[in-house]
mmCIF file of all heavy atoms in Angstrom:
data_model
loop_
_atom_site.group_PDB
_atom_site.id
_atom_site.type_symbol
_atom_site.label_atom_id
_atom_site.label_comp_id
_atom_site.label_asym_id
_atom_site.label_seq_id
_atom_site.Cartn_x
_atom_site.Cartn_y
_atom_site.Cartn_z
ATOM 1 N N LEU V 1 -1.920 -4.105 8.955
ATOM 2 C CA LEU V 1 -2.452 -5.279 9.635
ATOM 3 C C LEU V 1 -1.769 -6.494 9.080
ATOM 4 O O LEU V 1 -1.451 -7.456 9.832
ATOM 5 C CB LEU V 1 -3.966 -5.387 9.471
ATOM 6 C CG LEU V 1 -4.750 -4.282 10.191
ATOM 7 C CD1 LEU V 1 -6.225 -4.373 9.802
ATOM 8 C CD2 LEU V 1 -4.567 -4.444 11.673
ATOM 9 N N ARG V 2 -1.589 -6.533 7.757
ATOM 10 C CA ARG V 2 -0.890 -7.733 7.156
ATOM 11 C C ARG V 2 0.582 -7.793 7.618
ATOM 12 O O ARG V 2 1.133 -8.838 7.873
ATOM 13 C CB ARG V 2 -0.990 -7.609 5.611
ATOM 14 C CG ARG V 2 -2.386 -8.015 5.093
ATOM 15 C CD ARG V 2 -2.425 -8.164 3.601
ATOM 16 N NE ARG V 2 -2.323 -6.812 2.915
ATOM 17 C CZ ARG V 2 -3.228 -5.918 2.806
ATOM 18 N NH1 ARG V 2 -4.450 -6.119 3.321
ATOM 19 N NH2 ARG V 2 -3.033 -4.796 2.182
ATOM 20 N N ALA V 3 1.150 -6.661 7.817
ATOM 21 C CA ALA V 3 2.568 -6.601 8.305
ATOM 22 C C ALA V 3 2.662 -7.115 9.736
ATOM 23 O O ALA V 3 3.559 -7.854 10.120
ATOM 24 C CB ALA V 3 3.180 -5.223 8.225
ATOM 25 N N VAL V 4 1.682 -6.782 10.559
ATOM 26 C CA VAL V 4 1.596 -7.303 11.955
ATOM 27 C C VAL V 4 1.475 -8.845 11.898
ATOM 28 O O VAL V 4 2.057 -9.623 12.608
ATOM 29 C CB VAL V 4 0.443 -6.650 12.763
ATOM 30 C CG1 VAL V 4 0.323 -7.337 14.057
ATOM 31 C CG2 VAL V 4 0.794 -5.213 12.984
ATOM 32 N N GLN V 5 0.548 -9.248 10.968
ATOM 33 C CA GLN V 5 0.370 -10.700 10.848
ATOM 34 C C GLN V 5 1.653 -11.414 10.453
ATOM 35 O O GLN V 5 2.017 -12.470 10.954
ATOM 36 C CB GLN V 5 -0.743 -10.949 9.769
ATOM 37 C CG GLN V 5 -1.044 -12.379 9.540
ATOM 38 C CD GLN V 5 -2.099 -12.629 8.445
ATOM 39 O OE1 GLN V 5 -2.154 -11.776 7.530
ATOM 40 N NE2 GLN V 5 -2.809 -13.689 8.527
ATOM 41 N N ALA V 6 2.396 -10.834 9.501
ATOM 42 C CA ALA V 6 3.714 -11.399 9.091
ATOM 43 C C ALA V 6 4.674 -11.403 10.312
ATOM 44 O O ALA V 6 5.355 -12.438 10.494
ATOM 45 C CB ALA V 6 4.271 -10.628 7.926
ATOM 46 N N ALA V 7 4.665 -10.418 11.122
ATOM 47 C CA ALA V 7 5.562 -10.355 12.255
ATOM 48 C C ALA V 7 5.201 -11.444 13.277
ATOM 49 O O ALA V 7 6.087 -12.088 13.969
ATOM 50 C CB ALA V 7 5.508 -8.986 12.934
ATOM 51 N N LEU V 8 3.895 -11.730 13.320
ATOM 52 C CA LEU V 8 3.450 -12.728 14.247
ATOM 53 C C LEU V 8 4.004 -14.157 13.861
ATOM 54 O O LEU V 8 4.186 -14.989 14.751
ATOM 55 C CB LEU V 8 1.929 -12.807 14.294
ATOM 56 C CG LEU V 8 1.206 -11.732 14.982
ATOM 57 C CD1 LEU V 8 -0.277 -11.831 14.744
ATOM 58 C CD2 LEU V 8 1.491 -11.670 16.447
ATOM 59 N N LEU V 9 4.241 -14.334 12.564
ATOM 60 C CA LEU V 9 4.614 -15.623 12.114
ATOM 61 C C LEU V 9 6.167 -15.825 12.116
ATOM 62 O O LEU V 9 6.643 -16.880 11.765
ATOM 63 C CB LEU V 9 4.074 -15.861 10.706
ATOM 64 C CG LEU V 9 2.534 -15.861 10.607
ATOM 65 C CD1 LEU V 9 2.089 -15.899 9.170
ATOM 66 C CD2 LEU V 9 1.962 -17.023 11.412
ATOM 67 N N THR V 10 6.900 -14.719 12.398
ATOM 68 C CA THR V 10 8.366 -14.863 12.492
ATOM 69 C C THR V 10 8.773 -15.519 13.789
ATOM 70 O O THR V 10 8.075 -15.392 14.793
ATOM 71 C CB THR V 10 9.061 -13.540 12.363
ATOM 72 O OG1 THR V 10 8.720 -12.666 13.368
ATOM 73 C CG2 THR V 10 8.795 -12.843 10.996
ATOM 74 N N ASP V 11 9.870 -16.237 13.738
ATOM 75 C CA ASP V 11 10.391 -16.813 14.919
ATOM 76 C C ASP V 11 11.880 -16.513 14.956
ATOM 77 O O ASP V 11 12.596 -16.991 14.063
ATOM 78 C CB ASP V 11 10.163 -18.328 14.898
ATOM 79 C CG ASP V 11 10.463 -18.983 16.287
ATOM 80 O OD1 ASP V 11 10.342 -18.204 17.304
ATOM 81 O OD2 ASP V 11 10.758 -20.166 16.346
ATOM 82 N N PRO V 12 12.336 -15.801 15.889
ATOM 83 C CA PRO V 12 11.616 -15.241 16.988
ATOM 84 C C PRO V 12 10.674 -14.015 16.502
ATOM 85 O O PRO V 12 10.848 -13.507 15.456
ATOM 86 C CB PRO V 12 12.668 -14.674 17.930
ATOM 87 C CG PRO V 12 13.837 -14.408 17.014
ATOM 88 C CD PRO V 12 13.773 -15.428 15.933
ATOM 89 N N PHE V 13 9.807 -13.657 17.394
ATOM 90 C CA PHE V 13 8.837 -12.634 17.089
ATOM 91 C C PHE V 13 9.590 -11.331 16.785
ATOM 92 O O PHE V 13 10.547 -10.947 17.449
ATOM 93 C CB PHE V 13 7.911 -12.410 18.242
ATOM 94 C CG PHE V 13 7.037 -11.149 18.156
ATOM 95 C CD1 PHE V 13 6.046 -11.043 17.151
ATOM 96 C CD2 PHE V 13 7.186 -10.164 19.103
ATOM 97 C CE1 PHE V 13 5.286 -9.941 17.121
ATOM 98 C CE2 PHE V 13 6.340 -9.029 19.025
ATOM 99 C CZ PHE V 13 5.425 -8.912 18.003
ATOM 100 N N ASP V 14 9.189 -10.660 15.639
ATOM 101 C CA ASP V 14 9.832 -9.437 15.226
ATOM 102 C C ASP V 14 9.068 -8.248 15.758
ATOM 103 O O ASP V 14 8.258 -7.679 15.083
ATOM 104 C CB ASP V 14 9.927 -9.394 13.726
ATOM 105 C CG ASP V 14 10.726 -8.237 13.158
ATOM 106 O OD1 ASP V 14 11.150 -7.345 13.987
ATOM 107 O OD2 ASP V 14 11.019 -8.191 11.963
ATOM 108 N N ARG V 15 9.353 -7.884 16.990
ATOM 109 C CA ARG V 15 8.660 -6.816 17.688
ATOM 110 C C ARG V 15 8.845 -5.492 16.927
ATOM 111 O O ARG V 15 7.884 -4.751 16.806
ATOM 112 C CB ARG V 15 9.109 -6.696 19.142
ATOM 113 C CG ARG V 15 8.352 -5.588 19.852
ATOM 114 C CD ARG V 15 8.941 -5.375 21.239
ATOM 115 N NE ARG V 15 8.269 -4.288 21.893
ATOM 116 C CZ ARG V 15 7.310 -4.406 22.831
ATOM 117 N NH1 ARG V 15 6.912 -5.578 23.219
ATOM 118 N NH2 ARG V 15 6.754 -3.327 23.349
ATOM 119 N N ALA V 16 9.997 -5.202 16.459
ATOM 120 C CA ALA V 16 10.257 -3.947 15.809
ATOM 121 C C ALA V 16 9.384 -3.790 14.522
ATOM 122 O O ALA V 16 8.816 -2.689 14.296
ATOM 123 C CB ALA V 16 11.681 -3.791 15.438
ATOM 124 N N ALA V 17 9.251 -4.843 13.792
ATOM 125 C CA ALA V 17 8.390 -4.784 12.549
ATOM 126 C C ALA V 17 6.891 -4.610 13.002
ATOM 127 O O ALA V 17 6.208 -3.851 12.340
ATOM 128 C CB ALA V 17 8.535 -6.079 11.749
ATOM 129 N N ALA V 18 6.469 -5.338 13.988
ATOM 130 C CA ALA V 18 5.063 -5.133 14.428
ATOM 131 C C ALA V 18 4.871 -3.779 14.969
ATOM 132 O O ALA V 18 3.835 -3.165 14.663
ATOM 133 C CB ALA V 18 4.768 -6.214 15.512
ATOM 134 N N GLU V 19 5.793 -3.260 15.716
ATOM 135 C CA GLU V 19 5.657 -1.871 16.295
ATOM 136 C C GLU V 19 5.617 -0.870 15.185
ATOM 137 O O GLU V 19 4.764 0.044 15.226
ATOM 138 C CB GLU V 19 6.834 -1.640 17.201
ATOM 139 C CG GLU V 19 6.630 -0.436 18.104
ATOM 140 C CD GLU V 19 7.729 -0.404 19.171
ATOM 141 O OE1 GLU V 19 8.679 -1.141 19.183
ATOM 142 O OE2 GLU V 19 7.638 0.525 20.036
ATOM 143 N N ALA V 20 6.451 -1.039 14.197
ATOM 144 C CA ALA V 20 6.425 -0.064 13.021
ATOM 145 C C ALA V 20 5.097 -0.123 12.286
ATOM 146 O O ALA V 20 4.489 0.840 11.844
ATOM 147 C CB ALA V 20 7.602 -0.358 12.047
ATOM 148 N N ALA V 21 4.563 -1.379 12.067
ATOM 149 C CA ALA V 21 3.280 -1.535 11.423
ATOM 150 C C ALA V 21 2.200 -0.883 12.163
ATOM 151 O O ALA V 21 1.300 -0.209 11.662
ATOM 152 C CB ALA V 21 3.041 -3.031 11.191
ATOM 153 N N LEU V 22 2.180 -1.085 13.484
ATOM 154 C CA LEU V 22 1.146 -0.470 14.331
ATOM 155 C C LEU V 22 1.199 1.049 14.311
ATOM 156 O O LEU V 22 0.234 1.771 14.260
ATOM 157 C CB LEU V 22 1.217 -0.919 15.757
ATOM 158 C CG LEU V 22 0.859 -2.459 16.018
ATOM 159 C CD1 LEU V 22 1.136 -2.871 17.457
ATOM 160 C CD2 LEU V 22 -0.645 -2.632 15.766
ATOM 161 N N ALA V 23 2.412 1.604 14.209
ATOM 162 C CA ALA V 23 2.624 3.001 14.103
ATOM 163 C C ALA V 23 2.080 3.534 12.804
ATOM 164 O O ALA V 23 1.434 4.604 12.786
ATOM 165 C CB ALA V 23 4.124 3.417 14.227
ATOM 166 N N ARG V 24 2.287 2.805 11.688
ATOM 167 C CA ARG V 24 1.715 3.254 10.436
ATOM 168 C C ARG V 24 0.181 3.204 10.461
ATOM 169 O O ARG V 24 -0.514 4.055 9.957
ATOM 170 C CB ARG V 24 2.224 2.228 9.302
ATOM 171 C CG ARG V 24 3.707 2.550 8.955
ATOM 172 C CD ARG V 24 4.111 1.812 7.645
ATOM 173 N NE ARG V 24 3.783 0.408 7.630
ATOM 174 C CZ ARG V 24 4.549 -0.588 8.058
ATOM 175 N NH1 ARG V 24 5.657 -0.321 8.582
ATOM 176 N NH2 ARG V 24 4.198 -1.837 7.936
ATOM 177 N N SER V 25 -0.380 2.118 11.060
ATOM 178 C CA SER V 25 -1.814 2.023 11.214
ATOM 179 C C SER V 25 -2.374 3.222 12.044
ATOM 180 O O SER V 25 -3.365 3.782 11.651
ATOM 181 C CB SER V 25 -2.133 0.697 11.968
ATOM 182 O OG SER V 25 -3.529 0.567 12.157
ATOM 183 N N ARG V 26 -1.687 3.604 13.119
ATOM 184 C CA ARG V 26 -2.144 4.692 13.927
ATOM 185 C C ARG V 26 -2.152 6.008 13.093
ATOM 186 O O ARG V 26 -3.024 6.828 13.212
ATOM 187 C CB ARG V 26 -1.257 4.864 15.166
ATOM 188 C CG ARG V 26 -1.765 4.297 16.435
ATOM 189 C CD ARG V 26 -0.966 4.698 17.642
ATOM 190 N NE ARG V 26 0.521 4.703 17.492
ATOM 191 C CZ ARG V 26 1.247 3.691 17.645
ATOM 192 N NH1 ARG V 26 0.824 2.531 17.921
ATOM 193 N NH2 ARG V 26 2.549 3.905 17.509
ATOM 194 N N ALA V 27 -1.080 6.210 12.314
ATOM 195 C CA ALA V 27 -0.927 7.400 11.476
ATOM 196 C C ALA V 27 -2.091 7.479 10.490
ATOM 197 O O ALA V 27 -2.707 8.521 10.314
ATOM 198 C CB ALA V 27 0.425 7.462 10.839
ATOM 199 N N SER V 28 -2.376 6.344 9.818
ATOM 200 C CA SER V 28 -3.426 6.352 8.846
ATOM 201 C C SER V 28 -4.815 6.574 9.508
ATOM 202 O O SER V 28 -5.650 7.269 8.985
ATOM 203 C CB SER V 28 -3.429 5.027 8.092
ATOM 204 O OG SER V 28 -2.296 4.927 7.272
ATOM 205 N N ALA V 29 -5.068 5.891 10.693
ATOM 206 C CA ALA V 29 -6.279 6.111 11.366
ATOM 207 C C ALA V 29 -6.437 7.628 11.814
ATOM 208 O O ALA V 29 -7.506 8.177 11.726
ATOM 209 C CB ALA V 29 -6.331 5.227 12.604
#
């Protein structure tokens, strides 16, 4: 979740980082 938050603050938006973080979150869940 913190990695997604960091990706939100990048300009331009770092979709790949957010996507990877969400994938890690899904795996842990």
Side-chain angles (χ1 to χ4, degrees):
L1 293 174
R2 285 187 292 282
V4 170
Q5 181 183 26
L8 289 172
L9 297 173
T10 61
D11 191 25
F13 171 63
D14 189 350
R15 181 185 175 103
E19 194 170 7
L22 290 173
R24 289 192 308 272
S25 177
R26 263 192 317 276
S28 292

